[in-house]
Amino acid sequence: MLNLNQPLPAGGTGDDAVYKVLVVDKFCRDILSPLIHLHELRKHGVTICFMIDVERQNIPDAPAIYFVQPTAPNIHRIIQDAARGVYESFHLNFSSSLPRALLEELAMGALKNDCMHRLSKVFDQYAEFVTLDTAMFSLALPDTYVRLNDPSAQDKDIETAVDAIVNGLFSVFVTLGVVPVLRCARGGPAEMVATQLDARIRDHLVSRNNLFTEPGHFGTSFQRPLCCIFDRNFELSVGVQHVWTYRPLVHDVLGMKLNRVVVQGEGAAAGVAGKGAAKSFELDESDTFWVANNAAAFPKVAEEVEAQLKKYKEDVEEVNRRTGGRADVPFDEQELLGNTKHLMSAVNSLPELTERKKMIDKHTNIATALLGEIKSRNLDGFYSLEEDMLTKGTVDKTALLGALKGKGTSDDKLRLGLVYLLSMESAAGAEIESVEAALREARVDVTSFLYVKRIRSLNISLASVNTGSKSNLVDWLSTTVTAGVKNFLSAGRQLALTRTVESLMEARLAPELESYMTLDPRAPKGSAPGIHTKGPFKEAVVFMIGGGNYLEHGSLVELGQRCQPGKNIIYGCTEVVTGAELSRQLGVLGHKMGVDASA
């Protein structure tokens, strides 16, 4: 696309002599953001990037690449730009298939304004999803959980939401170049999405421009992948619980978006208002520390930061020693010139050492900010209580009520209450009332709590888990973490989602999977699934409707690594939400249901 939809030359990044303008809308900007950085755009000859909805000056000698969603406002703006001759030529790329009605509107507008000659080509890119890493994507569809569970929603509202999900998943499988075998539980949004996705792929396979004729790039095997579709209500507790591993913590506590996190300075991290400038950090696959440690428990990450810093200091001292420098004045120019024997190796090591120091500083900043939040909000205490409830189905009532009266934000306390409701199946009414009273006493809006309390009678699948492993943890950089955090790691509990995906991929005949549908878009309509749908499967796409999270993603990645031979599992969701965000969506549903939190 950035090479004007021409094949890239062997070993090249495009024709650097052709300077281009990139025009995007917000959705497509978010698609590009985790995939390509500004300096990489310049390598492809893109000198400037604009938002489509802002006023722009004419650059009549430059070709323009438009990458936008196929919407009526975007079509109108393209026609307006072409009529004004803002750019020399227009290379139009739409994130999904351009409907015929909008294509005709584009053609009529161009003819009417005598600017058809400026429209070079129109491409459907089928990129209606945000890639967060090689094994995770989001459809960036906000508030899907509310839309699909709204008791007042009309049929057309549900259909619109389901269509958007199907459109995004279709784009994912077109990009992968594979036709999946679909599995889902009967009833609810998962079946609606699976049925419509099956029909969409089936209809496309018989069309003239079949996008699945190319061999897939999903893996090395010839076997088709499994696509397991779930609804958030399958395991609601995972969406609201507190977390303890690095990437889920960075997302949940620091609000990571599109692989970027903003961290306040040291004063702010320590709880001093107004101190420290904010710093923005990229966290992607180019960061070797992030790749190696994002699934580790936070105390282990703190240990690794300290170890990396120690190793860096040792390497700096070694360079100084070999070049005659002083340890307290690293890389002093005069000192280095005095010893030419090791000068070249020292100079060659400078870029690598500089990058390592930047990486260490980045993760020191992030870990410090996390530690400040953990201490000020008692996050380790909330996590420990929730793990006990989800693992054992029991809770220390005194500790629970103490946590609701102690440190932590209203969102933290609400989430603890929600996990209590979702894990304590046999809790007595009086006990639930005491938890509700404690939440009210802490000035927590209990609308979400009352909503979940009301729907407990529905068939919400709850986590059945193994006992967590325990380990002692060292303090990090001489800072004492609250005592509760030293007694646990997060590796012991396997999510219900992960266990179910493992059973589906292994094609086990488990009683709980008997109700799961199997849909094969390649099979003749109405026929029984063929031999290619039987499994076991080496690859899978697991999709969560209504909001996903990094905890589920990490659990599935661990499953793929644990299996022998390894399995390739991609995790996707309608949107990536924090526990606080999902709790608020539950509150919105409570209001729509008429739950009265003031009663």
Side-chain angles (χ1 to χ4, degrees):
M1 182 177 75
L2 296 177
N3 198 43
L4 305 180
N5 289 294
Q6 298 297 318
L8 291 173
T13 57
D15 185 2
D16 290 351
V18 180
Y19 295 106
K20 296 154 283 195
V21 174
L22 177 63
V23 181
V24 296
D25 59 11
K26 182 181 182 303
F27 185 86
C28 291
R29 180 194 63 189
D30 289 350
I31 292 174
L32 292 176
S33 178
L35 296 175
I36 189 165
H37 298 146
L38 190 61
H39 69 277
E40 293 171 313
L41 285 174
R42 289 174 181 149
K43 289 180 182 178
H44 289 271
V46 175
T47 56
I48 194 166
C49 181
F50 290 114
M51 298 297 292
I52 191 172
D53 56 356
V54 301
E55 290 299 323
R56 287 164 272 126
Q57 292 183 336
N58 287 20
I59 311 178
D61 297 331
I65 301 165
Y66 280 70
F67 182 40
V68 295
Q69 284 188 294
T71 64
N74 284 344
I75 294 296
H76 296 160
R77 192 60 189 250
I78 291 169
I79 294 170
Q80 180 183 333
D81 290 350
R84 285 176 47 206
V86 178
Y87 307 113
E88 178 187 53
S89 59
F90 289 66
H91 300 261
L92 307 181
N93 299 270
F94 294 99
S95 58
S96 62
S97 180
L98 180 64
R100 184 169 186 83
L102 289 179
L103 179 61
E104 292 175 352
E105 186 174 345
L106 175 64
M108 293 298 295
L111 285 171
K112 183 178 178 181
N113 291 278
D114 192 25
C115 57
M116 182 67 81
H117 60 285
R118 294 195 179 98
L119 303 185
S120 178
K121 283 187 177 180
V122 178
F123 291 88
D124 296 334
Q125 295 291 355
Y126 293 99
E128 198 88 348
F129 57 95
V130 177
T131 304
L132 298 169
D133 69 17
T134 54
M136 185 175 183
F137 68 90
S138 163
L139 301 188
L141 297 172
D143 299 324
T144 302
Y145 186 80
V146 172
R147 293 167 190 249
L148 294 176
N149 291 277
D150 185 351
S152 61
Q154 303 294 316
D155 286 348
K156 63 178 182 180
D157 300 325
I158 300 295
E159 290 169 4
T160 299
V162 170
D163 285 345
I165 297 169
V166 170
N167 192 42
L169 282 174
F170 183 78
S171 291
V172 168
F173 287 110
V174 166
T175 300
L176 293 173
V178 292
V179 177
V181 176
L182 306 172
R183 295 296 306 269
C184 70
R186 296 185 184 275
E191 180 179 353
M192 295 172 66
V193 169
T195 303
Q196 290 199 28
L197 180 60
D198 174 67
R200 175 83 181 270
I201 296 175
R202 188 183 296 276
D203 291 343
H204 185 79
L205 287 173
V206 298
S207 67
R208 184 176 60 183
N209 299 317
N210 179 10
L211 295 168
F212 294 102
T213 54
E214 296 288 326
H217 307 288
F218 188 30
T220 56
S221 74
F222 293 101
Q223 188 189 39
R224 290 160 57 196
L226 188 67
C227 175
C228 309
I229 301 177
F230 296 89
D231 173 32
R232 182 69 272 162
N233 288 326
F234 171 80
E235 197 174 11
L236 188 58
S237 59
V238 178
V240 296
Q241 72 177 96
H242 287 84
V243 290
W244 195 237
T245 46
Y246 194 29
R247 176 143 76 166
L249 263 175
V250 173
H251 174 244
D252 191 58
V253 176
L254 302 181
M256 178 175 65
K257 299 286 186 185
L258 300 173
N259 296 342
R260 180 182 290 272
V261 63
V262 177
V263 175
Q264 301 301 319
E266 290 184 8
V272 181
K275 293 289 185 72
K279 298 178 181 179
S280 178
F281 299 113
E282 293 280 351
L283 294 168
D284 55 28
E285 294 179 343
S286 65
D287 183 334
T288 54
F289 184 93
W290 179 249
V291 171
N293 295 283
N294 65 51
F298 175 67
K300 290 294 184 185
V301 175
E303 288 180 358
E304 185 61 24
V305 170
E306 189 175 16
Q308 293 274 359
L309 183 59
K310 180 181 179 183
K311 178 68 166 59
Y312 167 79
K313 289 178 177 178
E314 290 173 351
D315 290 347
V316 169
E317 290 174 358
E318 176 66 12
V319 170
N320 286 330
R321 187 186 65 78
R322 293 170 67 88
T323 57
R326 300 196 310 273
D328 59 333
V329 187
F331 310 133
D332 181 85
E333 184 178 0
Q334 295 304 318
E335 296 281 356
L336 289 174
L337 289 173
N339 185 350
T340 58
K341 181 178 180 181
H342 301 293
L343 180 59
M344 188 58 67
S345 63
V347 170
N348 290 337
S349 69
L350 283 175
E352 190 268 340
L353 285 170
T354 301
E355 286 302 310
R356 279 171 58 192
K357 184 62 165 62
K358 285 170 61 178
M359 179 193 71
I360 292 167
D361 287 346
K362 175 203 295 188
H363 290 283
T364 299
N365 273 277
I366 293 171
T368 302
L370 286 175
L371 191 63
E373 292 292 318
I374 290 168
K375 291 173 64 179
S376 67
R377 292 165 54 186
N378 187 34
L379 295 181
D380 52 302
F382 286 112
Y383 172 81
S384 181
L385 277 170
E386 290 168 3
E387 282 293 291
D388 279 347
M389 288 189 284
L390 292 165
T391 302
K392 304 170 185 175
T394 60
V395 66
D396 182 334
K397 185 70 178 302
T398 303
L400 173 64
L401 295 178
L404 295 176
K405 294 175 182 178
K407 293 190 294 185
T409 65
S410 294
D411 283 333
D412 291 327
K413 295 174 182 180
L414 175 60
R415 291 164 64 183
L416 178 62
L418 292 173
V419 172
Y420 165 79
L421 270 182
L422 293 166
S423 57
M424 300 290 106
E425 293 181 272
S426 59
E431 187 175 292
I432 294 175
E433 296 301 324
S434 67
V435 172
E436 181 184 331
L439 287 169
R440 291 180 183 274
E441 187 178 336
R443 299 184 180 279
V444 174
D445 182 346
V446 295
T447 306
S448 300
F449 186 87
L450 296 178
Y451 172 75
V452 173
K453 179 180 170 183
R454 184 174 290 189
I455 64 171
R456 281 184 84 206
S457 58
L458 300 178
N459 188 22
I460 299 176
S461 299
L462 304 175
S464 177
V465 295
N466 298 320
T467 302
S469 61
K470 298 186 177 181
S471 173
N472 290 323
L473 306 167
V474 300
D475 292 342
W476 176 60
L477 299 181
S478 302
T479 305
T480 301
V481 187
T482 33
V485 85
K486 296 171 181 266
N487 297 322
F488 52 82
L489 289 173
S490 63
R493 186 165 66 88
Q494 190 176 31
L495 306 182
L497 175 73
T498 307
R499 293 198 316 275
T500 304
V501 168
E502 184 175 14
S503 295
L504 289 170
M505 292 188 75
E506 295 296 331
R508 295 173 184 163
L509 299 176
E512 62 269 21
L513 301 181
E514 289 179 358
S515 64
Y516 275 63
M517 299 173 60
T518 302
L519 299 171
D520 180 6
R522 285 201 181 276
K525 202 166 186 177
S527 66
I531 189 172
H532 298 293
T533 67
K534 299 300 184 184
F537 292 86
K538 297 179 181 178
E539 291 129 0
V541 174
V542 179
F543 187 75
M544 181 60 71
I545 301 168
N549 52 73
Y550 288 102
L551 181 60
E552 289 177 332
H553 167 250
S555 181
L556 290 169
V557 169
E558 189 275 331
L559 169 64
Q561 295 170 345
R562 172 165 45 85
C563 292
Q564 293 296 330
K567 295 183 182 293
N568 186 10
I569 303 175
I570 292 176
Y571 175 73
C573 53
T574 46
E575 64 173 328
V576 185
V577 293
T578 65
E581 288 167 344
L582 184 57
S583 298
R584 293 187 195 110
Q585 291 189 35
L586 292 169
V588 171
L589 288 171
H591 285 297
K592 289 178 176 291
M593 186 179 277
V595 170
D596 185 4
S598 63

